[in-house]
Amino acid sequence: MLGYDFSSAGRFQTAVTFLKNPHLFGTGTNACYMEQMRNLDVLDGDEGRMCVNTEWGAFGDDGALEDLRTNIDREIDAGSLNPGKQLFEKMISGMYMGELVRLILVKLARDQMVFQGKTTPELLTTGRFSTNEEGLANADKVLRDLGLNPSAEDCKATRRVCQIVSTRAARLCAAALAAVLRQIRDNKAAERLRITIGADGSVYKTHPGFSRRLQKMVRRLVPDCDVRFLQSPCGSGKGAAMVTAVAYRLAAQQAERQRILDTLRLSREQLLEVKRRMTDGIVLGLSKQTHEQTSVKMLPTYVRSTPDGTENGDFLALDLGGSSFRVLLVRLRSGKRHKVDMHQKIYTIPQETMQGTGEELFDHIVQCIADFLEYMGMRGASLPLGFTFSFPCNQSKLDEGILLKWTKGFKASDCEGKDVVMLLKEAIQRKQEFDLNFVAVVNDTVGTMMTCGYEDPKCEVGLIVGTGTNACYMEEMHNVELVEGNEGLMCVNVEWGAFGDFGELDDFCTQFDRSVDDCSNYPGKQRYEKMISGMYLGEIVRNVLIDFTSKGLLFRGKMSERLKSRGIFETKFLAQIESDRLAMRQVRSILQHLGLTGSTCDDSVLVKEVCSVVARRAAQLCGAGLAAVVDRMRQNRNQNQLDITVGVDGTLYKTHPHFSSIMQETLQDLAPQCRVTFLKSEDGSGKGAALITAVACRGNNQGQH
C-alpha cells in the first residue's frame, strides 16, 4: 500500500506501530517508510520518493516464517478469525503475545511444571492474559486474578515466560526493521545512515522491556545506522490531521510550481503560430522592399552550389566564433573515393583582445595563422582561405563580409560596418610573413551544410544548435531579391537568432526570458537565440530556480549566494541532469556545487523537471523554425512531398539526451509533408569552410565566377 510523499518529513523516514487495543483499525503491528519512486514498479514515474505502507503483519503468509513458528504459534493461528493470515503479526503484536503466554502456562501446568499441575477456567479462557507487566508482584496479582494460588516459583516462571515471549517479539520486529533500514541506506548509497523512527502503539509505550529490547537489537543488526526512536503522542489522531495538512500544503505548492512552469510550456497551436511568423519573416527578409521591416535578415551567402566530389587541393580554414578559434589545413583529394585530410591547432583570444580594438584582434589572429604555418612547415605559403566568421555579416560577394554587429561577448572596436576580409588582409600586410590568394567568408551554418553535402547530395539545409543557433538553406535565386540574377540556387543565411527582435515573440516570452535578456550584453537582440541556445538555457533555469526559492517552493526557501551569480548554472548541467533516469545523486552534486548543500531528493526532482521544461521548449521552438524553412523549400519546388537532409552541428544538439528527438518530433508534426533526414556534421566550421572555398575555386577555374 502506498501513501503520500512528505517533503517535510526530514529525517523521519520510518514509522512503526505496535497496537494492542482491538478497537483500533489495523490492530497489531505495521511499518511504513520513504521509498524511492524508481523502485515502485506498480506506479508510473521514477523520480522522488513516496511513503510505502509495508503491511508487514502479513509477512510469513507465504511460508517464509514456517521454520521459526512453534506449535503454540500454529495453535493460536488455528483458533484465530483469519487462519493462515497475518502470521508475523501473530508472533509480535499485543493482541497475540498474551495469548502465547497463556497457552505456554497451560501446557506447563498440564505437564506438572507450574501451579502444582492445576488449571482454572479463567486460565483456560482465550484473551484473559496481559503481557504488559513483568514484575514479580504483578505476576502474582495477574495469576490470582486468574483464580490461581501461585507460589514464588510460579511467579518467577510466569515472569520468565513473559520475558521470553516479549523478547522474541521485539527481536523479530527488530529484524524486520533492520531490513527496512538497510533498504533506505542502500537507496541513499550511504556508508552510514542517520535516521529517526517514529513509534506508536500500546505495547511499545507501556510494556516495560519491549522498546529497550527492540532498540538494542536494531542497533546490533544494523551497526552502520545511527537510529533514533521517537515516540508518537497520537499517530492516528494528530498524525491523520498532519497528513491532511501536509498534503494540502504540498498540493498548493505543487499547483503554484506547475502554474509557473506552464508559462514555459508551448501548445501545438502556439508552435504553429511560431512557424507562421517565421515563414512571414523569411518572406519579408528575402524581399528588397521589406528587408528592413523584419528581424529575419535572410542574408545571401554567394554560395551557389554544394560539393560534387571533384574538389581538389590544399586549403586553409580559420574558424572564429568564440573565445577560442582554430586554424586548419584541409587537403581535399578528388576521385571515386574522395578523401579529406585535416590538421589543426586551437588558439585562444584573451578577454581584453575580444573587447579591445579591431586592429589588436586581427593582429592576434594573423599571428596565430603564422604560427600554424610555421608548425606545418609551410612558412611563406600562399593558399586560399575559408574564413568561418560566426557573426552576422552582410555579403555582396563571397570574398567580402560586412560585420553587422558583434555577438557572443565580442566588442572589438572599429569593426562593425567594415569588411572583415579587408581587416584580415590589412593585418597580414602589417605582419608580412605569408599571403592568402583568396579568402571566402563563411558562416558556420553554411559550413555545416557543405560538410554534410559532401557526404549526402540531398543536404541543402544547415542547422546550428550550440552556443548560438542559426539555419541556412538553398533558396531559389529568383526569390533572393538582394542579389541580381534569377537562375539556379543560392544558400541564404537565415540569421534566425534575431527572430523576435521586432516583437514577434513577445507573447511567448516569460518573465525569465525577459530577465535573461535584460542582463545580457545586447538587451532586446537575438531573442529567439536566447530562448533556444546553449549560451542562455542554463541562465533561464537559474532564474526559475531563484523564483521558486524566493516563493518557498524550493530548497525550503533558502537561497545560496552562488545561485545568485549570473552564469553559474551552466547549460551543460541540463544535459547531465537529464542524461540518466536515475541521476538524483548527480543532480545533488550539481546543487552542492551551487552552494545548496542542504538540498533534498525532492529538490533534485524539481530541478530536473525545470531543466526538462526549459530544454523541451527550446527544442520545440527550434523545430517550429525548421518546419518553416523546409515547408518553404517544398512549396518553392511545387512538391507534394519533400525529401531533404539537414546537416546539424552544435554541442546542445549533440550532447543533450532529448533535444534532437523533441526537435525532430516537433518538425514532423508541424511539417508532415516533409521527410527530413538529419546528418550530424563533422567539423562544419573547419572542413566546411575549406569545402566552400574549394567549390568557389572550382567555379573560378571553370570560369563560372
Side-chain angles (χ1 to χ4, degrees):
M1 294 179 65
L2 307 176
Y4 208 84
D5 181 356
F6 298 104
S7 65
S8 63
R11 284 178 57 206
F12 278 91
Q13 296 179 52
T14 311
V16 189
T17 305
F18 311 95
L19 299 176
K20 182 182 177 184
N21 187 340
H23 300 294
L24 288 175
F25 177 75
T27 296
T29 180
N30 197 10
C32 67
Y33 73 100
M34 298 301 292
E35 178 60 87
Q36 298 295 322
M37 281 289 290
R38 66 175 182 264
N39 296 330
L40 301 177
D41 291 339
V42 295
L43 290 179
D44 292 330
D46 56 11
E47 306 300 351
R49 301 178 302 163
M50 179 172 284
C51 182
V52 174
N53 173 11
T54 65
E55 286 292 346
W56 75 9
F59 177 46
D61 292 5
D62 59 353
L65 295 175
E66 203 55 37
D67 55 339
L68 298 179
R69 295 173 71 219
T70 67
N71 289 333
I72 295 176
D73 292 311
R74 295 184 180 93
E75 185 177 344
I76 286 179
D77 178 48
S80 69
L81 296 175
N82 55 344
K85 304 294 184 184
Q86 301 297 107
L87 296 184
F88 188 57
E89 181 172 275
K90 289 169 183 174
M91 298 171 76
I92 289 180
S93 73
M95 186 174 183
Y96 299 98
M97 283 166 57
E99 192 62 9
L100 279 166
V101 172
R102 187 187 70 80
L103 290 175
I104 292 171
L105 293 178
V106 169
K107 180 174 176 53
L108 291 174
R110 287 173 176 170
D111 290 343
Q112 304 291 317
M113 299 179 71
V114 294
F115 314 138
Q116 298 176 336
K118 296 177 182 179
T119 60
T120 64
E122 291 88 345
L123 181 62
L124 297 175
T125 302
T126 301
R128 289 296 302 270
F129 199 93
S130 170
T131 56
N132 277 8
E133 308 293 347
E134 290 185 3
L136 289 176
N138 293 325
D140 183 78
K141 180 179 182 303
V142 169
L143 293 174
R144 291 189 184 281
D145 288 344
L146 294 173
L148 295 166
N149 185 23
S151 66
E153 291 302 316
D154 291 336
C155 291
K156 287 180 181 178
T158 301
R159 180 173 180 268
R160 181 60 180 151
V161 170
C162 289
Q163 288 175 337
I164 291 171
V165 169
S166 64
T167 298
R168 185 187 75 152
R171 289 180 173 182
L172 283 170
C173 188
L177 194 53
V180 171
L181 294 174
R182 287 207 177 278
Q183 173 74 4
I184 296 172
R185 192 202 63 176
D186 292 346
N187 284 343
K188 292 176 174 289
E191 291 184 8
R192 192 164 193 87
L193 177 69
R194 298 182 64 197
I195 195 165
T196 297
I197 298 175
D200 199 2
S202 55
V203 173
Y204 184 87
K205 288 180 175 180
T206 64
H207 192 284
F210 188 93
S211 62
R212 175 176 51 81
R213 292 166 189 152
L214 169 71
Q215 294 174 27
K216 183 178 179 180
M217 184 53 64
V218 166
R219 292 178 179 120
R220 285 181 61 186
L221 293 175
V222 280
D224 48 4
C225 297
D226 296 326
V227 183
R228 173 178 174 243
F229 285 81
L230 189 63
Q231 188 170 296
S232 170
C234 181
S236 57
K238 182 179 177 182
M242 289 184 68
V243 169
T244 304
V246 170
Y248 181 81
R249 176 175 61 81
L250 292 179
Q253 289 182 339
Q254 180 65 5
E256 176 63 9
R257 292 187 194 105
Q258 293 308 313
R259 184 194 66 78
I260 294 169
L261 289 178
D262 282 346
T263 65
L264 289 157
R265 294 184 172 108
L266 297 173
S267 66
R268 185 173 188 272
E269 290 69 27
Q270 287 175 309
L271 291 170
L272 282 169
E273 181 61 19
V274 171
K275 175 191 173 185
R276 188 190 67 76
R277 294 181 191 182
M278 178 69 81
T279 301
D280 291 346
I282 288 172
V283 173
L284 292 172
L286 287 170
S287 169
K288 186 180 290 186
Q289 288 185 328
T290 58
H291 178 75
E292 298 301 322
Q293 299 172 20
T294 178
S295 59
V296 185
K297 291 306 179 186
M298 304 299 292
L299 303 175
T301 67
Y302 296 88
V303 172
R304 298 292 305 274
S305 63
T306 53
D308 61 8
T310 64
E311 294 76 20
N312 195 68
D314 292 352
F315 302 88
L316 284 175
L318 174 61
D319 175 16
L320 176 64
S323 58
S324 62
F325 72 101
R326 297 180 303 152
V327 183
L328 304 93
L329 175 66
V330 181
R331 290 183 163 138
L332 302 175
R333 299 295 177 260
S334 58
K336 287 185 178 180
R337 300 180 64 182
H338 47 252
K339 183 180 177 184
V340 181
D341 289 325
M342 295 196 300
H343 306 272
Q344 68 173 2
K345 279 188 77 174
I346 298 174
Y347 298 89
T348 60
I349 304 176
Q351 186 73 16
E352 59 270 20
T353 303
M354 290 172 61
Q355 301 188 357
T357 67
E359 188 171 300
E360 290 170 344
L361 174 62
F362 281 91
D363 282 349
H364 178 72
I365 292 169
V366 167
Q367 176 57 48
C368 294
I369 297 174
D371 174 81
F372 177 75
L373 290 172
E374 181 81 33
Y375 169 75
M376 294 299 301
M378 301 176 68
R379 185 175 182 180
S382 179
L383 293 172
L385 171 76
F387 187 5
T388 300
F389 191 70
S390 303
F391 303 91
C393 279
N394 192 11
Q395 288 185 260
S396 58
K397 49 187 178 178
L398 187 60
D399 58 351
E400 175 188 277
I402 307 300
L403 174 63
L404 298 179
K405 60 182 176 183
W406 284 119
T407 57
K408 304 175 187 177
F410 279 76
K411 285 188 176 181
S413 61
D414 300 322
C415 293
E416 292 183 354
K418 293 187 178 179
D419 178 11
V420 294
V421 174
M422 288 305 301
L423 293 173
L424 182 64
K425 287 184 174 180
E426 288 168 2
I428 291 171
Q429 286 295 316
R430 290 193 292 272
K431 184 72 174 172
Q432 292 191 341
E433 285 192 13
F434 64 91
D435 197 11
L436 302 173
N437 59 33
F438 179 78
V439 178
V441 177
V442 178
N443 179 274
D444 57 347
T445 318
V446 183
T448 294
M449 182 189 75
M450 295 294 272
T451 300
C452 294
Y454 198 59
E455 307 297 329
D456 181 354
K458 289 197 298 183
C459 182
E460 296 184 73
V461 182
L463 173 66
I464 297 285
V465 193
T467 305
T469 183
N470 194 15
C472 68
Y473 71 100
M474 299 302 289
E475 177 61 86
E476 306 295 321
M477 268 297 293
H478 63 82
N479 292 327
V480 187
E481 296 184 6
L482 298 179
V483 179
E484 296 295 327
N486 291 318
E487 299 300 321
L489 303 170
M490 177 176 284
C491 181
V492 173
N493 172 13
V494 180
E495 281 296 342
W496 77 8
F499 177 50
D501 291 5
F502 285 16
E504 299 96 327
L505 295 173
D506 283 0
D507 49 339
F508 301 115
C509 285
T510 68
Q511 65 185 85
F512 311 113
D513 298 304
R514 288 186 282 273
S515 178
V516 169
D517 180 50
D518 291 342
C519 296
S520 68
N521 287 336
Y522 297 94
K525 304 295 183 183
Q526 301 296 106
R527 299 302 299 271
Y528 190 57
E529 181 170 87
K530 288 171 182 172
M531 299 172 78
I532 291 178
S533 75
M535 189 171 185
Y536 301 100
L537 293 190
E539 193 61 9
I540 295 173
V541 169
R542 186 183 72 87
N543 277 274
V544 176
L545 300 185
I546 287 175
D547 184 62
F548 277 3
T549 307
S550 66
K551 293 175 178 175
L553 304 174
L554 185 64
F555 307 135
R556 298 189 181 93
K558 296 177 182 176
M559 189 88 65
S560 77
E561 289 302 315
R562 285 180 64 81
L563 187 60
K564 296 177 184 177
S565 303
R566 183 167 165 256
I568 194 69
F569 197 101
E570 301 173 49
T571 296
K572 69 177 182 181
F573 292 160
L574 274 76
Q576 292 172 358
I577 287 171
E578 291 197 69
S579 63
D580 183 358
R581 61 188 292 268
L582 306 178
M584 286 302 105
R585 246 191 301 169
Q586 189 165 19
V587 179
R588 291 283 291 278
S589 68
I590 291 171
L591 296 181
Q592 287 171 358
H593 166 73
L594 298 174
L596 298 159
T597 55
S599 62
T600 66
C601 183
D602 297 314
D603 290 331
S604 297
V605 172
L606 183 54
V607 170
K608 189 168 184 177
E609 183 180 10
V610 172
C611 291
S612 175
V613 169
V614 170
R616 182 175 186 82
R617 185 188 69 157
Q620 288 177 322
L621 284 170
C622 191
L626 196 56
V629 170
V630 297
D631 234 5
R632 174 174 177 79
M633 296 177 73
R634 180 185 63 80
Q635 292 167 7
N636 279 345
R637 300 172 189 190
N638 294 315
Q639 294 180 356
N640 185 52
Q641 186 83 37
L642 175 70
D643 289 316
I644 195 82
T645 297
V646 176
V648 196
D649 203 355
T651 53
L652 183 60
Y653 181 90
K654 288 182 174 179
T655 64
H656 191 282
H658 309 302
F659 190 98
S660 60
S661 60
I662 294 170
M663 186 194 77
Q664 291 171 32
E665 287 168 9
T666 305
L667 171 62
Q668 182 62 41
D669 182 44
L670 302 184
Q673 292 175 272
C674 300
R675 283 200 296 260
V676 182
T677 302
F678 287 85
L679 187 61
K680 288 182 182 178
S681 169
E682 297 300 328
D683 198 9
S685 51
K687 178 180 172 182
L691 283 165
I692 291 171
T693 308
V695 169
C697 291
R698 184 193 74 201
N700 288 337
N701 293 337
Q702 294 173 354
Q704 293 179 0
H705 297 288

